[in-house]
Amino acid sequence: MQDWKSIAIAKRLGMPESDLDLIVPVLEALDASFRPLIATIPIDIEPSIILSEPAVLGE
Amino acid sequence: MTIVEAAAQLRARKISSAELVSAALSQIEKLQPKLNAFITVLDERGRKQAREADEDLARGIDRGPLHGIPVALKDVFATKGVRTTCGSKIFEHHVPDRDSAVAEKLAEAGSILIGKTGMHELAYGVTSNNPHFGAIRNPRNPGRIPGGSSGGSGAAVAADMAFMAMGSDTGGSIRIPAAYCGTVGLKPTSGRISRHGAMLLDFSLDHMGPLTRSARDAGVTMNALAGYDPRDDSSSKRPVEDYVPAVGCSIRGLRVGWPENYYFERVDSSVRTAVERMGALAESLGAIIIPVRVPDIAAINTVGRVILMSEASAFFDSLGAGRDRFGSDVLSLYDQGRLLAATDYVNAQRLRRMMQREFSKLWDRIDCLFTPTVPIGAPPIGSLTVEIEGKAEDTRLATTRFVRAINVLGLPALSVPCGVTDEQLPIGLQIVGKPFAEAEILRIGAALEDAA
């Protein structure tokens, strides 16, 4: 379980405590469903976004 | 009247573009105070361009089926000299000095832009209850949301204010308003329609597409918009097709995937019945219904939310706007995205690749997938939760449950009207296709429309 409030404070994002109270339960629920998925990723899987040719060419 | 019908009447000189535009503007004047579908209305410019379109047709200059047809753009599409707000206070006075690719191509096709439609703030939400420009209302029931984020586009097409209105779709924002307002909505494959000059909420999930009154009208619009654009890195070089379904098109022999899991769980009974009726109709037209187990859609939705919040918050950071410039729901999502780790974003994109591979195996057995677009009819304006089968569910999560994953996968999907709920609210059938199978899912939609 991540300590979302501490993360917010450490990042100095200026989020009021009352706003954090609202989003922490949402993030906890999202994290609970997301975290187990990470363990299922095979080592040879690359992200679904790639460096585009125009980017490589500096365009 | 549809675009196809209006185009035929224009060429038969039974009607003029000036009359079509005048009728659309009258409808806007009458209904705008009630529905709030538009942020900007281009009355004078629209009438002038309509007169020019009529003169061109009289001289034998015919730009195709959109020539002289009144259309609208969601206010994310940059329009040269016309304010483009993205439904945000940040862009309240933004007047672009060039057109987006979509605006450019629609103008080349001869259509008449009559206005910019309202939307959820920064396209980040599904209600179109905008704190800066006011709530947009559903023409089928003004106490209900039109869905979002392209709510103004859905309302405009459903209420005969425009023949076609463009939307953008990050997690269902074309298909949701189509379903809630009772119109057709097409989210094409990633890379099929250029995103150049449109505000991107999310760099890897955003798609541009039309909301129309028929599948054939969506095909007409696709013919004008689909194709490679070197200004958009995500644009595909794959050749385009003719997207307009033929008269009397057939779906005989088509393999329709019918989900055994996920898509019919926690669904309003009238939605389930309406979608099942469409399955039976497809079968009566010669399609083969094949029960399938779909991969873990809830997991794909989770991955989609991590990607969306990470990318949207990165975009918002770059705007450098203070907290007071955002509405409360968008600010909340912005904050959530800022707390996610970069490693989680990268792993979400790796999971996305994995899930795309797994889902693509379905196409060995089926040609398309039928699902409800949304599990319910349009919720009341302001409701934070909805009740489905006796259980309360977050309105945003319920509304996006069946559509978000399709953006993660990048697949084309069409929502077509397929009935009404017990409360007389429209229901949508979602037809998900193989990559770049827009012509095929439009043909399925047209065949169902013809037979219904």
Side-chain angles (χ1 to χ4, degrees), chain B residues 93-257:
Chain B
H93 305 294
H94 174 56
V95 179
D97 59 4
R98 65 193 69 178
D99 275 335
S100 54
V102 161
E104 198 178 86
K105 285 191 168 190
L106 285 173
E108 280 167 14
S111 69
I112 313 296
L113 179 62
I114 55 166
K116 307 290 293 291
T117 55
M119 53 185 281
H120 202 103
E121 180 185 7
L122 292 162
Y124 208 177
V126 297
T127 65
S128 293
N129 191 359
N130 190 304
H132 315 299
F133 296 91
I136 302 166
R137 295 175 179 276
N138 191 317
R140 308 295 184 203
N141 180 336
R144 304 286 175 142
I145 63 167
S149 61
S150 314
S153 292
V157 172
D160 294 337
M161 297 160 149
F163 281 83
M164 184 282 291
M166 285 298 293
S168 63
D169 191 320
T170 308
S173 285
I174 290 170
R175 291 157 288 159
I176 294 164
Y180 281 166
C181 294
T183 76
V184 168
L186 174 68
K187 182 200 85 64
T189 313
S190 298
R192 188 70 300 180
I193 290 182
S194 173
R195 312 187 302 180
H196 173 73
M199 183 211 77
L200 296 182
L201 167 67
D202 189 289
F203 309 110
S204 73
L205 292 171
D206 276 8
H207 303 69
M208 311 297 144
L211 290 98
T212 56
R213 294 180 198 149
S214 74
R216 286 190 177 83
D217 283 2
V220 165
T221 311
M222 280 295 288
N223 277 358
L225 297 180
Y228 176 63
D229 181 352
R231 299 168 297 181
D232 176 357
D233 275 2
S234 71
S235 187
S236 170
K237 289 182 176 169
R238 185 180 286 253
V240 296
E241 302 172 59
D242 180 0
Y243 295 98
V244 183
V247 175
C249 59
S250 167
I251 56 169
R252 185 160 295 282
L254 180 89
R255 299 171 302 167
V256 175

Side-chain angles (χ1 to χ4, degrees), chain B residues 262-322:
Chain B
Y262 192 79
Y263 281 107
F264 291 96
E265 295 162 14
R266 287 182 290 134
V267 172
D268 183 272
S269 60
S270 57
V271 172
R272 181 182 294 113
T273 303
V275 173
E276 284 172 352
R277 209 167 33 236
M278 295 306 269
L281 180 60
E283 199 167 21
S284 75
L285 297 172
I288 304 153
I289 306 294
I290 299 176
V292 289
R293 285 199 70 77
V294 293
D296 188 348
I297 303 295
I300 304 177
N301 284 340
T302 295
V303 164
R305 287 176 64 207
V306 172
I307 293 171
L308 169 59
M309 290 201 288
S310 303
E311 293 189 3
S313 293
F315 169 54
F316 291 173
D317 271 354
S318 69
L319 296 176

Side-chain angles (χ1 to χ4, degrees), chain A residues 4 8 11 13-16 19 23 26 30 33-35 37 40-43 45-49 52 54, chain B residues 204 233 299 302 305-306 309 323 332 335-336 338-339 344-345 347-354 356-357:
Chain A
W4 297 104
K11 292 181 92 171
L13 295 171
M15 296 177 193
D19 288 3
I23 66 172
V26 184
L30 179 67
S33 51
F34 180 67
R35 200 62 45 204
L37 297 173
T40 68
I41 308 175
I43 56 166
I45 289 281
E46 292 192 29
S48 190
I49 43 175
S52 67
Chain B
S204 73
D233 275 2
T302 295
R305 287 176 64 207
V306 172
M309 290 201 288
R323 298 177 69 79
S332 173
D335 283 344
Q336 290 172 52
R338 295 167 94 192
L339 295 182
D344 286 343
Y345 171 72
N347 277 328
Q349 290 288 9
R350 293 176 75 207
L351 283 160
R352 181 185 198 174
R353 171 65 58 86
M354 227 173 91
Q356 286 167 323
R357 284 184 188 168

Side-chain angles (χ1 to χ4, degrees), chain B residues 74-97:
Chain B
K74 181 178 182 177
D75 215 16
V76 290
F77 293 98
T79 39
K80 186 179 176 182
V82 176
R83 185 172 72 135
T84 301
T85 68
C86 304
S88 163
K89 211 174 173 121
I90 300 164
F91 297 105
E92 196 176 1
H93 305 294
H94 174 56
V95 179
D97 59 4

Side-chain angles (χ1 to χ4, degrees), chain B residues 17-34:
Chain B
S17 173
E19 287 170 319
L20 290 174
V21 168
S22 179
L25 290 169
S26 297
Q27 191 73 346
I28 294 171
E29 192 180 0
K30 188 172 119 193
L31 294 176
Q32 175 67 7
K34 184 175 163 190

Side-chain angles (χ1 to χ4, degrees), chain B residues 47-71:
Chain B
R47 290 182 197 277
K48 179 175 176 284
Q49 289 183 349
R51 285 193 299 274
E52 290 166 0
D54 285 331
E55 286 164 14
D56 281 350
L57 268 185
R59 284 203 303 264
I61 302 166
D62 188 340
R63 294 185 169 82
L66 282 170
H67 187 124
I69 302 292
V71 302

